[in-house]
Structures are given as structure tokens and as C-alpha cells.
């Protein structure tokens, strides 16, 4: 691919032309971080103004028992291994109740691929949470888990998604994408479903009216070209379905993983990746900084590099922290608001479907007309 300069890419953007993969590669490898940030910031502010979304959510990981052994994952355990856990139904419900009482708008539920928990266990769990806490949006189960649940008695992925949706599932998170293209995918997670299957399940979900997010795990063995190919695959699917809400780059946390004990990603590369995503993924409205993996400081600075969304209060984080994340496991709503305001932007609490939320303590409602 021919190398493009930043001014050439800026001229394309000014003319309203779409960036191609050569442009994305040039951005991802640009030395002029400030120039890149300015482009991404301008593009973001044209689309989203000064507003930065955040949400009040809670993560729940029902089990860390997993039949896959992804090489980057420090969270999972084999069945019977020390540290393996599976929450009982009541323990999950107690966490949901706590989140509801605290005024959360969303539960983010993901976990390992348990070899014995049947599909019905998950479907009934979703149904019970939804029945008892109908205001909590359930964002749950990566495409990888959906594929697993199909094998665990759910039938096809479409049937699993349909039944979960009918039980009360509201949307899908973006995990499990890792790096979609080969050969990187097989190097970092040889047992995981192929990238094409991840995309297929997302397409089915979008077809059933379930929105989802998309992630990209970066900073391990991949080359910039692999990241560009990953972004291209996401942009192409988004072109067909429009079902992705946010793109979330996940900075690799290297501790206790089989992919080396390095220092993790550089702040420079984190910002470059977020800014490139803003400019190349022109059909994604929201680029989200996951402060848990970036650290609060880089996440805050990223609000000037094309990011318009900060996730979230989180409350109980295991996946990144088992792998050495040094950020805190939770932020309060006030802390998120302060992070955004200190960056000179306007915080807007949202629900999972990006409707602005107004609140009085733990009591919240969707604000009318402020979309
Ligand atoms: O699926 C696992 C990744 C994901 C590591 O959709 C790792 O709103 C970095 O997907 N270093 C879970 N990443 C997190 C996730 C997510 C987070 C926040 C918001 C949303 C959303 C999604 O974390 C896993 C896997 O891709 N992961 N191990 C690691 N060592
Ligand atoms: Fe299992 Fe997910 Fe960890 Fe892979 S990333 S080992 S599928 S929990």
C-alpha cells in the first residue's frame, strides 16, 4: 500500500472522501500524534459536538471456567483449577439487585465458556433478571459465548439470540473479536471461533434487532496491517447492517498471559489507535475509551483524540485486573463526570441505546428530546 501523508489525508477528509486502508495504515503509523489527534477531534466534534457520553453500569462475570485457553487471557480457569468459580443464580441476582438499587442503567454480563452450564441456565437467568429488574438493560454474551450456547443445547446461533432476546436480552457487548484476521487470530486464540463466525453472529444479531458493540484487542503480536484489516472487516459489516453502536479498542494487559510479560501498550499507540478508528470507521457513531484498560489518564486525554464515549462505572472488573491492569476496578458517576469536565467536554449520561439519561440520585429516567 502506498504511504499517504497526513496533509493528503486531511484534504480527503475536507473533501468528504472516504478513507481507504492505505490511509488507515498511514494514520496508525503516523509520528505526528498531535496532527492526527486534531483531525480525529475535528471529525468527532463535527459529528458529536462537545458532548461525551458515559454510563452507569455494572459488570457481572458469572463464571471464569472456560474450555478455551486464549493465550492473552489471565481471567479464565480450566474446570477444577484453583481459582475457578461459577456464581450461583442467586449470587448473580444479588449483584443485579445491588446495581438496580444503586441506580445503574445497564448490566454487562460476560464470562467463560463453561463446559456444563446448559443454554437453558442462561436463558432462565436472563428471564429472571429481566422480570425482577425490568429497567436494567441487559447487555450480555459475546458472539463467542453465543456460539458456545448454541452447542450447549441452544440449537442454532439464531435460535439462541432469538430466545435470549425474547427473555429480555437488550444488546450484545463487543468482546471476543480480538483480532479477526488470520494468521494472528490462530496465534493468540487458536480455539476461539474464526473471525468470520464472529462477524456472522453479529450479523444475525443485528438482523434480529439486537444492537452490539465491536472491540479490537491490540498491542500483542499483531502488525499495523492486521489492525487495519480488522477495522476493514468491521466497517464492511457495519455498512451492511448498521447494527454496531460503538467501537472499543482493548489495550492488551500482559500480566499472567502466555503472550509475554511485557509492559503493555504505549500511551502514544493507544491514542493513535483511537484516533485512527474515529477517522477510518466513519460509519461508527461512537468510539469508546475503556478506561479500565487504558488507565484513567490516557482515557481522559483520548477525549481530544476522537473519543466521544467513556465506559462506565463498571463496579467489579476481573478480566483486565487478572491480567495486571493498574486502573481502579470502578469509578463513581461523579468521578466520570469530573474526568470529562476536566478535559473541557460536556458529560452526558446515556443509557445503553445512547438516549440521554437524567437522574436524581439512584432514580433515573430517559430525558426527552435531547438525543
Ligand atoms: O472478550 C481478555 C478481552 C474482553 C485480555 O462492548 C483482554 O461495551 C486485554 O469486551 N488484555 C472483555 N483484553 C472486555 C470487553 C468489553 C469491555 C468494555 C465494554 C465492552 C462493550 C466490552 O476483554 C474479552 C477479550 O476480548 N481480553 N483478556 C487482556 N489480557
Ligand atoms: Fe475463555 Fe474468553 Fe478467556 Fe478466551 S478470552 S479463554 S474465550 S474467557
Amino acid at each position: 500500500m502506498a504511504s499517504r501523508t497526513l496533509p493528503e489525508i486531511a484534504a480527503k477528509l475536507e473533501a468528504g472522501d472516504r478513507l481507504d486502508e492505505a490511509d488507515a495504515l498511514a494514520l496508525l503509523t503516523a509520528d505526528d500524534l498531535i496532527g492526527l489527534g486534531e483531525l480525529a477531534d475535528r471529525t468527532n466534534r463535527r459529528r458529536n459536538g462537545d458532548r461525551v457520553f458515559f454510563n452507569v453500569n455494572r459488570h457481572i462475570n458469572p463464571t471464569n471456567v472456560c474450555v478455551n485457553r486464549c493465550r492473552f487471557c489471565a481471567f479464565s480457569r480450566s474446570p477444577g483449577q484453583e481459582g475457578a468459580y461459577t456464581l450461583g443464580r442467586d449470587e448473580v441476582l444479588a449483584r443485579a439487585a445491588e446495581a438496580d438499587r444503586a441506580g445503574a442503567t445497564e448490566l454487562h454480563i460476560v464470562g467463560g465458556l463453561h463446559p456444563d452450564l446448559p443454554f437453558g441456565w442462561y436463558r432462565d437467568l436472563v428471564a429472571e433478571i429481566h422480570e425482577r429488574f425490568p429497567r436494567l438493560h441487559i447487555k450480555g454474551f459475546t458472539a463467542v459465548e453465543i456460539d458456545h450456547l448454541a452447542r450447549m443445547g441452544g440449537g442454532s446461533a439464531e435460535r439462541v439470540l432469538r430466545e435470549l432476546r425474547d427473555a429480555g436480552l437488550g444488546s450484545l457487548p463487543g468482546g471476543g473479536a480480538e483480532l479477526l484476521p488470520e494468521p494472528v487470530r490462530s496465534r493468540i486464540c487458536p480455539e476461539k471461533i474464526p473471525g468470520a463466525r464472529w462477524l456472522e453472529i453479529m450479523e444475525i444479531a443485528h438482523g434480529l434487532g439486537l444492537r452490539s458493540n465491536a472491540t479490537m484487542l491490540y498491542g500483542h503480536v499483531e502488525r499495523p496491517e492486521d489492525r487495519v484489516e480488522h477495522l476493514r472487516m468491521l466497517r464492511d459489516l457495519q455498512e451492511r447492517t448498521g447494527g454496531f453502536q460503538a467501537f472499543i479498542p482493548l489495550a492488551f494487559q500482559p500480566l499472567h498471559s502466555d503472550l509475554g510479560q511485557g509492559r503493555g501498550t504505549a500511551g502514544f499507540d493507544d491514542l493513535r489507535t483511537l484516533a485512527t478508528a474515529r477517522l477510518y470507521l466513519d460509519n461508527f457513531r461512537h468510539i469508546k475509551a475503556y478506561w479500565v484498560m487504558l488507565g484513567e489518564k490516557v482515557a481522559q486525554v483520548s477525549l481530544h483524540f476522537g473519543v466521544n464515549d467513556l465506559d462506565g462505572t463498571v463496579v467489579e472488573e476481573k478480566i483486565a485486573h487478572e491480567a495486571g491492569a493498574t486502573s481502579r476496578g470502578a469509578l463513581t458517576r461523579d468521578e466520570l463526570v469530573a474526568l470529562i469536565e476536566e478535559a473541557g467536554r460536556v458529560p452526558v449520561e446515556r443509557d445503553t441505546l445512547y438516549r440521554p439519561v437524567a437522574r436524581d440520585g439512584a432514580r433515573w429516567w430517559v430525558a426527552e428530546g435531547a438525543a
Side-chain angles (χ1 to χ4, degrees), residues 72 108 139 173-176 178 213 217 248 253 288 293 311 323:
F72 52 80
H108 174 132
K139 180 182 74 175
E178 324 309 357
N213 293 329
L217 178 68
I248 314 148
Q253 313 289 311
K288 179 151 91 176
M293 292 182 185
D311 187 333

Side-chain angles (χ1 to χ4, degrees), residues 47 57 59 68 74 93 105 135 166 177 185 191 199 236 238 242 274 279 287 294 317 320 333 342 351:
R47 189 142 191 207
N57 63 354
H59 285 210
N68 280 4
L93 286 166
T105 59
R135 300 200 70 216
D166 294 347
R185 191 171 187 82
E191 295 134 330
L199 291 165
D236 284 359
Q238 179 74 331
L274 287 157
L279 293 168
I287 303 294
L294 294 169
E317 205 292 321
R333 184 183 188 280
E342 283 163 3
D351 70 0

Side-chain angles (χ1 to χ4, degrees), residues 77-345:
R77 300 286 187 280
S78 298
Q81 190 184 341
E82 195 186 335
Y85 76 84
T86 300
L87 299 180
R89 203 179 110 271
D90 289 347
E91 291 173 297
V92 176
L93 286 166
R95 284 164 170 77
E98 196 181 284
D100 193 53
R101 260 198 315 276
T105 59
E106 170 189 284
L107 290 182
H108 174 132
I109 305 180
V110 295
L113 311 182
H114 196 289
D116 303 320
L117 285 179
F119 169 60
W121 188 86
Y122 288 93
R123 188 197 46 222
D124 295 350
L125 183 68
V126 168
E128 189 155 1
I129 295 172
H130 184 60
E131 203 177 292
R132 289 182 46 185
F133 312 106
R135 300 200 70 216
L136 274 176
H137 178 110
I138 305 172
K139 180 182 74 175
F141 312 115
T142 66
V144 175
E145 291 173 274
I146 297 297
D147 179 83
H148 180 70
L149 293 180
R151 295 161 203 266
M152 294 301 293
S156 65
E158 175 166 357
R159 195 169 138 209
V160 166
L161 286 163
R162 210 182 270 286
E163 288 197 24
L164 288 175
R165 182 197 64 187
D166 294 347
L169 183 71
S171 64
L172 266 61
E178 324 309 357
L179 242 282
L180 293 167
E182 293 293 351
V184 176
R185 191 171 187 82
S186 290
R187 281 184 66 194
I188 63 172
C189 47
E191 295 134 330
K192 200 161 245 171
I193 55 170
R197 176 69 170 154
W198 188 93
L199 291 165
E200 183 191 355
I201 289 175
M202 285 301 180
E203 185 158 10
I204 297 169
H206 295 169
L208 292 171
L210 289 162
R211 314 299 300 271
S212 78
N213 293 329
T215 58
M216 173 176 76
L217 178 68
Y218 69 97
H220 38 85
V221 302
E222 87 287 5
R223 302 165 307 155
E225 288 82 355
D226 301 313
R227 292 191 204 175
V228 170
E229 178 60 4
H230 180 96
L231 296 178
R232 186 195 64 73
M233 292 161 107
L234 294 179
R235 190 170 86 167
D236 284 359
L237 179 56
Q238 179 74 331
E239 209 58 21
R240 287 209 299 283
T241 68
F244 287 120
Q245 298 204 107
F247 174 68
I248 314 148
L250 300 176
F252 175 48
Q253 313 289 311
L255 201 68
H256 304 136
S257 93
D258 288 346
L259 284 183
Q261 308 284 319
R263 286 187 305 134
T265 59
F268 195 96
D269 196 31
D270 294 329
L271 294 173
R272 217 160 42 173
T273 303
L274 287 157
T276 300
R278 166 56 71 197
L279 293 168
Y280 176 78
L281 290 181
D282 55 2
N283 52 9
F284 279 67
R285 172 98 191 253
H286 308 292
I287 303 294
K288 179 151 91 176
Y290 188 40
W291 61 263
V292 169
M293 292 182 185
L294 294 169
E296 290 126 68
K297 292 184 180 184
V298 171
Q300 184 183 47
V301 174
S302 78
L303 304 182
H304 287 257
F305 285 76
V307 166
N308 74 314
D309 193 10
L310 259 191
D311 187 333
T313 50
V314 179
V315 180
E316 189 180 14
E317 205 292 321
K318 294 182 189 297
I319 297 172
H321 284 82
E322 294 264 343
T326 54
S327 64
R328 291 154 55 192
L331 287 179
T332 64
R333 184 183 188 280
D334 286 350
E335 285 169 333
L336 282 169
V337 165
L339 270 182
I340 296 167
E341 283 180 347
E342 283 163 3
R345 296 289 152 99

